Amino acid sequence: MMIPDWKLERFLTGDLPEEEMNKLRELEANDAVFANRVKMLREDNKAILSKLPFETLAANLGTGAAGNAAKIAAKNAVRFTLVKFAAAAMFVFAIALVAFFAQRETSVMNERVGGDVATVNGSQNTQVALAETQSDTRIKGLDARMEVWKKTPAGIVQLNDLDSVGEGDEIQLRYAVPEKCFGLLFSMDGNGALTLHMGDGVKAIELAPGKMNSLPFAYKLDDAPYFEKFFFVTSPKEFAVEENDVDKLLKRSDVKVIGFTLKKAGK
Amino acid sequence: MKSLETLKKAGFAKIYEKYAPMVYRRCLQLLRDDAEASDLMQDVFLRIYSASERLDMESPSSLLWNTATRLCLNRIRDKRRRGLDVDSSSLLLSIACAEDEHDDYETKNVLAKLFLKEPESSRTMAVLHFVDGMTLEETAREVGLSVSGVRKRLRGLQAKVKTLEVQ
């Protein structure tokens, strides 16, 4: 879930209605991307106030009519360059992307969705464990969606957002889109490591509409703490994830992002 | 004994410390220039301070956000009219430069209009809706109008923007 800037600002100042404040507090506790945005904005707040302290303004308070305010302020404005929020976000994601491209799962990144079962290298990936349940369910007219399932001794169970999981759990991702589009599916864990589960290298792949698709491999959770967050990104146009571009991608107006967070139990 | 002015400044300092970063980032988002953003941010607070006795300062985030938006749009429009380089998206430029019947009045009486709770600027609404991504309901809540009122104002502005694009 991408929170727009104006709402995030009001969250920081505590000016949202209580219900929304609570929702975002919970999101901050469980969603690393959102928590990062909040953290960086708090740091940015300090930088702004240290560069433009109240004293700079105080000297001009009450000295003139509002009509002169701009002139006064302009005369006394401190010129400075801040490390902008966006730049900081890029930096964080640049680090994460190093992990992203270095991961062993890279070997499966180019696997195209479509086959029922794919043999995958790497200990964290196992062959698909799920039956093709509802594989022909038509979803025309609905929004794109993503499902997360877990393999248990008793069978497979569908997980809900913010459900708890543990190290070693086998997770299967499924998705569906209502119309022809391009899509990417990746995850971020509590160590900040990104893993691409579906895509063509760094590019989104073309997705066929109309039925629920299982990814050709299940995903075994490692020991990363706190959470595993999945992102399903779709767009009518082709798009790619480039280095430093993940945060920008998630904010783009021409893409739809579906997020799904699993809490890591006992972490 | 502290003077009233000193007490007023002390109270305002708290507001400044809480909201200045938000206002600064808002200005930077629209103007894309550090120096101009800090200039405008101080302008916003100076104006609010001078009228603070008439304002409800309990939860001023909307007031500060909308004032910053309005002043930034005026700045963009003025620069454009003076033929200066403006580093803003074409959507923002279109919104900032769209004329409406309140244009001249608004330029001279931004705060008077705002504080007297007269109709909000269509341009500010347009930025809240088209640039910030607020829904019509959120925009309406932000500016204190009905959803249908906001829709009507935005339709009018869109028509003016189209006219500008044709010219």
Side-chain angles (χ1 to χ4, degrees):
Chain A
M1 176 170 44
M2 285 307 293
I3 306 300
D5 290 343
W6 63 269
K7 195 172 272 189
L8 182 53
E9 293 285 5
R10 281 162 175 74
F11 174 61
L12 286 171
T13 57
D15 288 333
L16 286 174
E18 196 50 36
E19 196 183 333
E20 269 192 286
M21 286 296 295
N22 287 336
K23 229 159 95 182
L24 293 192
R25 278 187 201 115
E26 195 182 327
L27 194 63
E28 188 185 0
N30 294 298
D31 184 328
V33 173
F34 181 66
N36 268 333
R37 287 178 75 194
V38 172
K39 185 172 167 241
M40 282 185 281
L41 281 183
R42 288 195 176 120
E43 284 165 7
D44 199 35
N45 283 357
K46 285 182 201 160
I48 289 167
L49 288 174
S50 74
K51 295 284 185 183
L52 279 175
F54 179 68
E55 290 68 36
T56 314
L57 180 81
N60 299 316
L61 292 179
T63 58
N68 294 323
K71 205 179 281 181
I72 294 164
K75 195 177 169 187
N76 293 285
V78 178
R79 293 185 172 251
F80 66 96
T81 304
L82 287 172
V83 178
K84 295 183 185 80
F85 166 66
M90 296 302 168
F91 176 71
V92 168
F93 280 104
I95 293 170
L97 270 178
V98 171
F100 173 54
F101 289 112
Q103 292 231 0
R104 281 184 298 175
E105 282 78 7
T106 305
S107 62
V108 301
M109 286 177 183
N110 296 333
E111 294 288 341
R112 295 290 295 245
V113 173
D116 290 332
V117 177
T119 305
V120 175
N121 296 325
S123 60
Q124 285 195 333
N125 296 292
T126 61
Q127 290 192 346
V128 66
L130 296 181
E132 291 308 297
T133 50
Q134 302 169 20
S135 62
D136 57 355
T137 305
R138 305 296 296 185
I139 59 156
K140 195 170 171 60
L142 300 175
D143 286 337
R145 63 193 171 111
M146 169 174 50
E147 291 176 359
V148 181
W149 294 70
K150 185 172 86 166
K151 190 178 176 185
T152 72
I156 53 167
V157 290
Q158 186 171 3
L159 299 177
N160 294 313
D161 196 25
L162 298 178
D163 273 355
S164 291
V165 288
E167 181 184 349
D169 280 348
E170 279 183 47
I171 301 298
Q172 176 69 50
L173 302 172
R174 312 183 78 207
Y175 72 92
V177 290
E179 53 202 8
K180 199 172 163 185
C181 63
F182 293 85
L184 267 181
L185 212 158
F186 61 92
S187 67
M188 183 164 75
D189 66 26
N191 289 327
L194 294 185
T195 303
L196 186 62
H197 300 283
M198 181 183 77
D200 184 2
V202 293
K203 281 191 306 183
I205 61 170
E206 198 169 340
L207 305 179
K211 69 169 191 176
M212 185 58 75
N213 298 282
S214 293
L215 261 58
F217 52 87
Y219 178 63
K220 198 164 189 175
L221 295 175
D222 63 15
D223 62 351
Y226 310 125
F227 67 89
E228 187 82 24
K229 167 113 187 173
F230 297 93
F231 297 90
F232 181 35
V233 187
T234 58
S235 171
K237 294 179 194 162
E238 284 186 274
F239 65 95
V241 191
E242 291 167 14
E243 269 192 79
N244 304 332
D245 202 24
V246 173
D247 193 42
K248 228 199 268 182
L249 172 69
L250 297 178
K251 282 184 165 182
R252 272 167 51 167
S253 59
D254 61 333
V255 303
K256 283 186 181 168
V257 181
I258 297 173
F260 195 102
T261 305
L262 296 175
K263 288 184 197 170
K264 278 291 191 64
K267 297 283 180 181
Chain B
M1 195 174 152
K2 287 181 179 174
S3 70
L4 277 177
E5 187 63 23
T6 307
L7 289 172
K8 188 181 166 190
K9 277 187 188 177
F12 199 67
K14 286 182 185 160
I15 291 171
Y16 180 89
E17 276 156 20
K18 186 172 177 186
Y19 294 100
M22 175 191 85
V23 174
Y24 170 78
R25 278 191 293 266
R26 176 54 164 175
C27 295
L28 185 61
Q29 180 196 10
L30 299 178
L31 298 172
R32 301 180 185 181
D33 181 279
D34 283 338
E36 274 201 284
S38 60
D39 174 11
L40 249 293
M41 185 264 269
Q42 296 214 10
D43 192 7
V44 169
F45 279 98
L46 286 169
R47 285 164 185 260
I48 296 291
Y49 182 81
S50 68
S52 56
E53 278 153 23
R54 286 177 281 146
L55 299 172
D56 175 9
M57 301 300 285
E58 278 298 302
S59 181
S61 55
S62 290
L63 174 68
L64 288 163
W65 185 270
N66 293 346
T67 304
T69 304
R70 193 184 291 265
L71 294 182
C72 287
L73 289 177
N74 286 346
R75 175 72 63 98
I76 292 168
R77 186 187 54 188
D78 291 346
K79 283 178 75 174
R80 186 78 185 274
R81 281 177 176 169
R82 283 185 279 131
L84 300 174
D85 283 342
V86 182
D87 179 19
S88 277
S89 71
S90 55
L91 174 62
L92 263 184
L93 285 175
S94 301
I95 294 169
C97 297
E99 304 288 338
D100 64 31
E101 69 243 43
H102 304 297
D103 220 23
D104 291 336
Y105 174 77
E106 201 172 70
T107 307
K108 292 171 191 154
N109 299 283
V110 173
L111 288 168
K113 198 173 171 192
L114 184 70
F115 299 152
L116 290 171
K117 298 194 186 302
E118 290 186 29
E120 284 279 340
S121 156
S122 303
R123 293 198 307 265
T124 302
M125 282 181 219
V127 173
L128 297 180
H129 183 62
F130 295 117
V131 180
D132 295 342
M134 288 187 191
T135 62
L136 284 176
E137 288 75 15
E138 287 164 342
T139 307
R141 196 165 59 227
E142 191 73 9
V143 299
L145 284 182
S146 66
V147 172
S148 60
V150 169
R151 191 182 286 119
K152 194 175 163 192
R153 298 282 293 274
L154 291 181
R155 269 196 207 128
L157 188 78
Q158 275 177 307
K160 280 165 188 156
V161 169
K162 273 186 192 155
T163 311
L164 277 180
E165 285 167 353
V166 171
Q167 283 170 353

